[in-house]
Amino acid sequence: MRKQIVAGNWKMNCDLSETKNLIQVLKVQDIPSGVSVMIAPTYTNLLAATSLLVDYPITVAAQNMHQSASGAFTGEISAGMLKSVGVDHVILGHSERRAYFKETDALLAEKVSTALEQEMTVIFCFGEELQDRTHGREFDVVKNQLQNGLFHLSGGDWNNIILAYEPVWAIGTGETATPEQAQEMHAFIRRTLAEKYSDEMAQEVSILYGGSVKPNNAAEIFGKEDVDGGLIGGASLDAESFMAIVNAFV
Ligand code: PGA
């Protein structure tokens, strides 16, 4: 049975004290059994987050990492560094990394390999832009992103991959894909995995939806057969909204 997951991507928000406060509020909430909850604070607050969450069922993820193990890469962070502060999950390929930091599919493929070599779990983000959808090429774009970023992996590697389909036009815009659009794409993604690997493997991969998920639309989106949860941006910065989304599985 694949996992139901709600992950909060805090992006470049929350200083150290805000991070601690938000975590303290989250810690007094009940986490429903069967739902994996993750938060991704910024690098400087990861150690505080893992320290506060020892023995608590919220996983801390990083928002990015470098593809090399170490070396002369000023300003960068390696997988080993993340692991040394208790972080073994990492978001890769977020559309903001692709757009503003020019991360390509080829670079992401390298980052994914490095993360898996370091025994980390990857939350791999991908999704089409608005003009792709208006031109009817959203399925081709998504298939290419999957092929280029992830299809070098063996079937077994996928035990440590979580997918996050995030149509770029829905991120931070308040415009959400309809539950039907999300389901249609998630089913396509699963079929694409089944064709490359096997149906059994495709059924085991959690596919999250991301893009303006809020307490008022989460239940309908998560209710779709191939949607296994969400990657939440804006609404994850408010404990009440985030917990409402965590509790939205029916
Ligand atoms: P949003 O962000 O929920 O604010 O649209 C989602 C994301 O960027 O992962």
Side-chain angles (χ1 to χ4, degrees), residues 140-228:
D140 290 342
V141 168
V142 160
K143 190 171 185 174
N144 274 331
Q145 289 172 325
L146 278 175
Q147 282 174 337
N148 298 339
L150 296 173
F151 278 10
H152 62 293
L153 301 180
S154 70
D157 287 337
W158 283 81
N159 293 331
N160 294 311
I161 301 285
I162 297 162
L163 296 179
Y165 166 62
E166 300 202 298
V168 179
W169 47 272
I171 295 179
T173 58
E175 191 168 339
T176 327
T178 63
E180 291 70 31
Q181 283 172 322
Q183 167 58 26
E184 184 184 35
M185 186 58 86
H186 284 221
F188 171 77
I189 292 163
R190 218 177 285 290
R191 272 200 310 280
T192 306
L193 294 181
E195 279 161 23
K196 165 75 180 168
Y197 296 92
S198 68
D199 200 36
E200 295 70 53
M201 172 274 185
Q203 289 302 327
E204 289 300 312
V205 176
S206 293
I207 310 177
L208 315 185
Y209 169 80
S212 298
V213 177
K214 307 287 176 204
N216 64 2
N217 59 24
E220 225 190 327
I221 298 170
F222 295 176
K224 291 293 179 190
E225 192 184 333
D226 287 291
V227 179
D228 304 309

Side-chain angles (χ1 to χ4, degrees), residues 7 9 11 94-96 125 166 170-174 210-214 231-236:
N9 175 10
K11 309 191 180 184
H94 191 278
S95 66
E96 288 149 18
C125 306
E166 300 202 298
I171 295 179
T173 58
S212 298
V213 177
K214 307 287 176 204
L231 181 58
I232 319 300
S236 70

